[in-house]
Amino acid sequence: MDRTAEINLWTDRIPVTDGRLEEFVSDPIACMRRLHREHGDLAMFRETSEKQQQLVFIFSPELNHHVLSDSKTFHSQFFTLRGPRNSAQRHLTCGLLSMNGDEHKQQRRQVAGPFEKRSIAFHHDTVTSVTDQMLATWKPDSVVNMADEMTILMRKITSMILFGTDQLDLALEIGEMLDEWVEMNHQLGLAAFIPRDDFMPEYNRMLSYAEKLEGRILDLMKWRREAGTLGADLLSQLIRVHDTTGGITNEQLVGHVALLFGAAHMTSAYSLGWTLFLLAQHPEVMTSLNHELQGGVYDEPLGAFDSAKGSLLDRVLRESMRLLPASSYSQRLNDVPVELGPFSLPRGTPIIFSSFVTHHRPDLYSQPDRFNPDRWLTISPTPYEYLPFGAGPRMCLGAPLAQFIIKTILPRVLKHNRLSVVPGAEVNGLVVSTMLNPISGIPMQIFEPDGRFVTSPVVGNIHALVELPAAAHQRRAAA
Ligand code: HEM
């Protein structure tokens, strides 16, 4: 349907749902799916309390395109508390996601170098060595929580890629502190929706933690400059840009580093965890992939430019990021009043777009809740129909790096182990801080690579997100 026809339809019915914003905060996917079911491509959620806050939701490729391609009108705003001017909290939150207009364009250009495809292959040895260390701790027949394993693995890898390995303890310490700080921001950010009595003491605690964290990042930057040890890590590369062009200030460097860590670490960990879960639950796909793995298809380091394009591994990752996108929604704020469908939106209205809802539209993907990597042999969605890394001028800067890391880790993990979800496990996906978190863990049992893949019965809200194949005993009972 073209946009004019869509807008005419809206004049007959105003797509507004009244409710409490807690509903959105406590389960964003359930809330967005309800709005999509009730209203279609465009919806407003209006807070009924005295706050009268309103959120607008867009779910169609056309509206995604309209909003995401126009970064002049629709601004990005980091979901966080910015802190007082000149505070460490302000510096840590001034990365790309908080910038707009010319400042964003100029800084994105400055930061882009280390993310170019030719730079990312440098990180191959870091990724493989940390993965191998993890694998050495897995014993046959033991059970691991795959969500935790991937989070720890990605925290280490991200710390090393960002901060280098020659000050490993400091790099890992900064990674852990960034993790803790991101969690504090999330908890306090919720107070915008759900008031809490201890807000001020907790806010002050976060401000002092931010100071400590900034201090450690500055220590590392100082050490790198003084020791003259600028390497291939991202911080060194950004320091080089700062020192040669002056295009990035020290405060901006701190902000970029904090955002890069936050943007890279959990998203990649969740994508890995969900992909391993989906593979374990789909024995036919896993059998085909195993065939390629045992045949040595992925033994050579990935070429940074092809990243296994066209392989089953590539289709598996595309499909897993379609079905369970780690970044399930994000927002823009209109910088000027705008008309959107039947709405006249005052400046600063939050407009939420959702890769999860768009990726589950049956008009774009047949049987959208099923994991079917081979659909990618015949479909070729537009960037606004398939957007696990966002779309438009603010699309994820780290997308090629993330794909490189994930496609390097998966074959290593899968070649020497058969993974099976622990039967009866509870698996839940909940969006926390915009990311689809396997919140209750993914318990998996490790077996020798015997190729005997089976689906396990699981419980939890995962069944509301994905249509999983029945486990063998369930199939027998149904027959
Ligand atoms: C599977 C892993 C990842 C996923 C799913 C992901 C997803 C996303 C998404 C959806 C956005 C757009 C947000 C918006 O439009 O509001 C984004 C932006 C961004 N991502 Fe990623 N990301 C991943 C990994 C990474 C990595 C590894 C890095 C860097 C080390 C990174 C750096 C960034 C940056 C800097 C932005 C902001 C770009 C801008 O505003 O210009 N991401 N990411």
Side-chain angles (χ1 to χ4, degrees):
M1 195 190 311
D2 71 21
R3 271 186 43 76
T4 334
E6 257 182 301
I7 286 165
N8 283 340
L9 257 182
W10 281 322
T11 53
D12 300 334
R13 50 175 180 85
I14 304 296
V16 177
T17 289
D18 289 316
R20 305 302 302 260
L21 285 180
E22 280 103 310
E23 184 189 331
F24 174 62
V25 177
S26 59
D27 192 346
I29 287 187
C31 178
M32 289 189 293
R33 285 188 132 175
R34 172 159 94 94
L35 292 171
H36 187 222
R37 236 184 358 261
E38 285 174 4
H39 301 300
D41 296 343
L42 173 71
M44 177 181 281
F45 194 81
R46 207 164 45 187
E47 167 73 62
T48 43
S49 76
E50 66 286 353
K51 276 194 272 178
Q52 300 220 313
Q53 219 168 333
Q54 52 192 31
L55 303 179
V56 170
F57 291 84
I58 55 172
F59 300 124
S60 70
E62 294 75 16
L63 286 166
N64 290 342
H65 182 255
H66 180 69
V67 170
L68 295 181
S69 63
D70 180 0
S71 57
K72 226 170 149 191
T73 308
F74 300 102
H75 279 190
S76 161
Q77 193 183 61
F78 200 22
F79 290 88
T80 188
L81 297 162
R82 298 301 307 277
R85 213 173 263 279
N86 285 326
S87 64
Q89 175 72 13
R90 180 65 71 98
H91 300 154
L92 285 161
T93 55
C94 77
L96 276 186
L97 275 179
S98 305
M99 294 175 180
N100 287 290
D102 288 343
E103 186 192 24
H104 172 258
K105 251 192 222 149
Q106 185 252 346
Q107 288 289 312
R108 190 171 157 115
R109 255 200 314 271
Q110 299 276 9
V111 178
F115 296 99
E116 282 167 9
K117 288 189 175 159
R118 67 187 143 89
S119 305
I120 61 184
F122 285 123
H123 304 301
H124 175 265
D125 291 354
T126 301
V127 178
T128 52
S129 66
V130 183
T131 307
D132 290 347
Q133 278 167 25
M134 174 193 73
L135 293 175
T137 67
W138 289 6
K139 302 287 171 249
D141 296 330
S142 64
V143 170
V144 298
N145 177 347
M146 199 52 80
D148 285 353
E149 292 290 299
M150 292 303 115
T151 302
I152 295 166
L153 174 71
M154 276 315 303
R155 187 199 292 148
K156 258 195 187 161
I157 290 177
T158 310
S159 303
M160 288 161 77
I161 288 181
L162 262 177
F163 305 121
T165 48
D166 43 4
Q167 284 280 318
L168 190 57
D169 289 344
L170 181 51
L172 297 178
E173 181 194 336
I174 294 175
E176 277 177 32
M177 289 182 80
L178 276 162
D179 226 9
E180 171 83 21
W181 172 76
V182 168
E183 176 59 21
M184 286 179 173
N185 273 281
H186 167 66
Q187 291 302 336
L188 282 167
L190 289 180
F193 302 100
I194 306 165
R196 49 190 281 181
D197 294 338
D198 61 349
F199 180 82
M200 276 322 286
E202 284 303 304
Y203 177 65
N204 287 331
R205 196 167 77 84
M206 181 175 73
L207 294 187
S208 23
Y209 198 78
E211 270 171 37
K212 261 193 238 145
L213 171 57
E214 183 182 43
R216 298 307 273 151
I217 297 173
L218 291 173
D219 284 346
L220 185 57
M221 282 161 56
K222 186 160 170 265
W223 181 84
R224 287 224 170 286
R225 285 197 171 107
E226 284 176 1
T229 53
L230 295 183
D233 58 281
L234 296 185
L235 179 62
S236 291
Q237 300 194 49
L238 294 177
I239 293 176
R240 252 184 233 115
V241 176
H242 171 278
D243 293 353
T244 51
T245 69
I248 306 179
T249 65
N250 261 347
E251 289 75 22
Q252 284 169 335
L253 259 179
V254 168
H256 287 318
V257 162
L259 172 68
L260 291 174
F261 186 89
H265 153 47
M266 297 307 243
T267 46
S268 304
Y270 296 164
S271 303
L272 276 162
W274 287 128
T275 307
L276 290 171
F277 169 77
L278 289 167
L279 282 170
Q281 291 297 82
H282 291 82
E284 326 75 59
V285 180
M286 196 51 237
T287 303
S288 307
L289 188 61
N290 190 43
H291 192 68
E292 289 189 356
L293 288 165
Q294 304 307 336
V297 172
Y298 306 111
D299 286 357
E300 291 296 311
L302 281 183
F305 284 90
D306 60 25
S307 271
K309 248 200 179 109
S311 64
L312 178 54
L313 182 66
D314 184 59
R315 296 199 291 283
V316 162
L317 186 60
R318 276 171 202 256
E319 180 68 348
S320 134
M321 294 187 78
R322 180 191 69 79
L323 203 53
L324 295 169
S327 167
S328 286
Y329 75 85
S330 188
Q331 72 165 2
R332 295 290 182 267
L333 302 178
N334 48 322
D335 194 43
V336 288
V338 294
E339 305 288 320
L340 202 58
F343 300 125
S344 300
L345 304 179
R347 178 171 188 264
T349 306
I351 301 167
I352 291 175
F353 65 96
S354 168
S355 55
F356 186 96
V357 177
T358 304
H359 290 177
H360 285 250
R361 288 179 64 117
D363 57 340
L364 298 179
Y365 302 96
S366 67
Q367 300 184 312
D369 296 346
R370 289 204 185 159
F371 178 67
N372 173 13
D374 279 351
R375 73 173 77 238
W376 291 92
L377 291 169
T378 52
I379 62 170
S380 178
T382 69
Y384 297 94
E385 292 171 344
Y386 180 66
L387 56 167
F389 291 105
R394 311 198 70 112
M395 192 187 155
C396 176
L397 203 53
L401 175 62
Q403 292 174 73
F404 177 82
I405 293 173
I406 294 173
K407 287 177 185 172
T408 300
I409 293 173
L410 284 175
R412 275 189 122 69
V413 170
L414 292 167
K415 184 165 181 180
H416 303 293
N417 302 284
R418 171 168 69 84
L419 302 178
S420 189
V421 179
V422 172
E426 177 168 355
V427 180
N428 293 298
L430 184 70
V431 175
V432 180
S433 283
T434 79
M435 285 176 282
L436 183 54
N437 183 338
I439 192 95
S440 31
I442 308 178
M444 282 188 159
Q445 193 155 8
I446 316 283
F447 293 101
E448 298 286 353
D450 56 12
R452 293 162 55 201
F453 304 106
V454 284
T455 306
S456 299
V458 292
V459 296
N461 90 339
I462 189 67
H463 293 289
L465 306 175
V466 184
E467 195 183 323
L468 292 170
H473 77 276
Q474 292 164 323
R475 279 199 304 272
R476 273 197 304 275

